[in-house]
Amino acid sequence: MKRTLSLRSRMMLLFAAVVGVLLAACTLASYALLAHQARAQLDKELLETAAPVAADLAPGPEEQDVNEMKIPNQYFELLDPTRRVLQHSGNLAKGPLEIGPEPIDPLHNQFRTLYESPYGKLRVVLVPFAQAGSTRLLVIAMSTRRVDQVLVLYRDAVWIFLPLSLLITALLSAWYVGRSLRPLADLTDRASAMADRVTSAGSAAGKPLWSPLPAAMTSDEIGRLTQTFNRLAERVEAALTQLRQFVTDASHQLRTPLTVLHGETELALAEPRSPESYRNTLRLLEDELSKLSRMVEGLFTLSMADAGQLRLACNPLYLDEVLEDSCLLVTPLAQARGITLERHLVRDVPYRGDEVFLRQLFLIFLDNALKYSPPESVITVQLEKQDGKLRASFSDQGPGIGPEHLPHIFKRFFRVPRLGADESHSGGLGLAIAEAIAHCQGGVIECQSAPGLGSTFTVTLPFETGPEPGQAPPEKTSPARHTTAAERGI
Ligand code: ADP
């Protein structure tokens, strides 16, 4: 990876550069303004000094006012049009003011700056006036030292304050940016530790993947990012735990029938047997194999649902007919155990859905009801339309489910521990598959149950999925139809 400056350093440099450029521009502008104002003030002073002197000199050519003047830092000369010095102030001992070779405007005041006069740097005003019919030029010069000193002082202050401001800006921005980014650094550390733990044995050993950050510190972008990270990590952790649990449970569940298959095959091969004994072994093997394939089929359905790939067909059908079919499929089993299957179904309920999956869904509840009902009891199946929804419910008079188990029954491989229950056919996947199918069909499942009072499972499906306008519902078919083992993969 290309090595770059840290974000903190880059932001610090950016702030310092922006502030530096702005400060420099402001300083230059204010320096130019100050210099202009100071010179304008000096020019004004020169004019104010010149005006009364010129007024005094104008009426009397014999006046020697200028010669008598001796004001510190102010120099006076009276010139004729040929630049001959007629009078000059007493402090011009080092020689006349050299006003330069530039032409003189006899009508207007002019300002000049003499940079290298014997009296230092001077600002000069040339004031032409008439004296007894002749043109005279009053020259007044003042030292620019005061103005220059102010400007030098300003420049010196700028040289101190500008770098100082830049330093303070850089330090403050580095501190502030560093403080603001600290949670990000923390997040990065934790995310990288989490990335390590996802694959390492650490998390498998029960260490949490992520220790949540205090998210309520701020409501700004960083605070929101922290909350999002906490949520993300929580979900990753839950998904990972679920995945690990699923793999562990699946392998555990698959191991039992495989062990039986292995054991029975070994036993059959150990010594010659009678055809009847081989037949019995093959029947057992077939039983275990069908259990295995049901479980694999169920796991496949669930993994497709997890990946959002469980694609259900959307065909027009009659829901009551699919339910009736499912009931007929389990009727022989119910009759064998003396269980009565009561049906209260609204008739001719057009619906759009996947017939195979819907039958599988209903069979899961019917199989469970049969499995857990005592002999000679009643199972009631109802189908009703209510508030624009379809409700199919399955009630049995079985042992019921305790409130401590109810929240878990839809989890994969969960089984209510029950003494003396025959769970040999139970894969613990039925309700998880039912829930996945119901969700895909846009529905929900509820369970009402209490120990000793039986159980009622209700599937609620949205009703707006009837046949599309102009499309006739399907022909009514004969009630009983067979489903494949895969269709009944429970
Ligand atoms: P299983 O294959 O074990 O029936 P399910 O996912 O279908 O798996 O059901 C999970 C657990 O919920 C079952 O082990 C059982 O203890 C309980 N259960 C489901 N349906 C009923 C019911 N009708 N009566 C009592 N308990 C039930």
Side-chain angles (χ1 to χ4, degrees), residues 185-325:
D186 207 3
L187 273 181
T188 312
D189 291 346
R190 280 166 198 246
S192 104
M194 177 175 155
D196 291 343
R197 268 185 232 153
V198 165
T199 46
S200 75
S203 70
K207 271 193 210 162
L209 280 181
W210 178 263
S211 38
L213 280 165
M217 291 180 306
T218 52
S219 60
D220 62 6
E221 292 83 347
I222 305 270
R224 285 204 298 279
L225 181 70
T226 309
Q227 282 170 17
T228 310
F229 250 85
N230 281 346
R231 245 192 352 259
L232 173 75
E234 222 171 74
R235 299 219 173 135
V236 169
E237 183 146 22
L240 208 67
T241 312
Q242 193 187 11
L243 192 71
R244 284 192 177 128
Q245 188 62 43
F246 186 61
V247 172
T248 313
D249 290 341
S251 47
H252 180 75
Q253 297 292 326
L254 292 172
R255 205 184 297 148
T256 315
L258 282 175
T259 313
V260 174
L261 281 175
H262 194 63
E264 289 297 328
T265 322
E266 262 188 3
L267 207 67
L269 291 173
E271 56 188 51
R273 290 163 178 269
S274 66
E276 184 56 26
S277 168
Y278 279 127
R279 246 195 306 280
N280 283 344
T281 306
L282 282 175
R283 238 177 259 125
L284 202 108
L285 294 186
E286 202 225 345
D287 204 34
E288 288 304 319
L289 277 173
S290 69
K291 231 188 281 176
L292 256 182
S293 64
R294 276 207 303 273
M295 199 177 294
V296 171
E297 201 65 46
L299 287 173
F300 180 70
T301 306
L302 284 173
S303 67
M304 294 293 274
D306 285 348
Q309 298 287 317
L310 193 61
R311 303 249 179 270
L312 267 58
C314 197
N315 298 325
L317 48 86
Y318 283 101
L319 200 65
D320 54 305
E321 197 181 81
V322 181
L323 189 50
E324 182 73 47
D325 277 7

Side-chain angles (χ1 to χ4, degrees), residues 3 17 76 85 109 113 158 193 223 240 249 262 272 277 281 293-294 336 384 391 399 402 438 462 465 485:
R3 215 177 145 67
F76 299 83
V85 180
N109 299 337
T113 303
V158 165
L240 208 67
D249 290 341
H262 194 63
S277 168
T281 306
S293 64
R294 276 207 303 273
E384 53 187 357
R391 284 201 170 80
T465 46

Side-chain angles (χ1 to χ4, degrees), residues 18 22 30 32 107 111 121 152 188 195 255 279 296 325 443 448 474:
V18 170
L22 289 178
S30 57
L107 298 174
F111 291 95
K121 193 174 155 200
V152 166
T188 312
R255 205 184 297 148
R279 246 195 306 280
V296 171
D325 277 7
Q448 281 179 320

Side-chain angles (χ1 to χ4, degrees), residues 368-369 371-372 396 400-401 409 414-416 418 423 426-431 455 457:
N368 276 349
K371 204 158 57 182
Y372 299 107
D396 61 54
I401 305 165
I409 55 171
F414 177 81
R415 287 174 190 156
V416 177
R418 229 187 292 274
E423 303 227 327
S426 159
L429 286 178
L431 290 181
S455 312
F457 285 87

Side-chain angles (χ1 to χ4, degrees), residues 151-166:
L151 294 180
V152 166
L153 206 69
Y154 185 86
R155 276 202 305 266
D156 288 350
V158 165
W159 282 123
I160 294 170
F161 284 117
L162 196 70
L164 199 69
S165 318
L166 283 184

Side-chain angles (χ1 to χ4, degrees), residues 335-374:
Q335 278 169 351
R337 299 188 54 212
I339 294 174
T340 313
L341 211 58
E342 269 186 18
R343 275 158 271 181
H344 306 282
L345 314 182
V346 279
R347 292 293 162 185
D348 298 337
V349 183
Y351 189 74
R352 288 186 73 81
D354 191 307
E355 190 177 340
V356 172
F357 277 109
L358 283 169
R359 192 177 302 128
Q360 183 180 352
L361 173 70
F362 296 148
L363 280 172
I364 289 171
F365 298 115
L366 288 168
D367 271 6
N368 276 349
L370 278 173
K371 204 158 57 182
Y372 299 107
S373 286

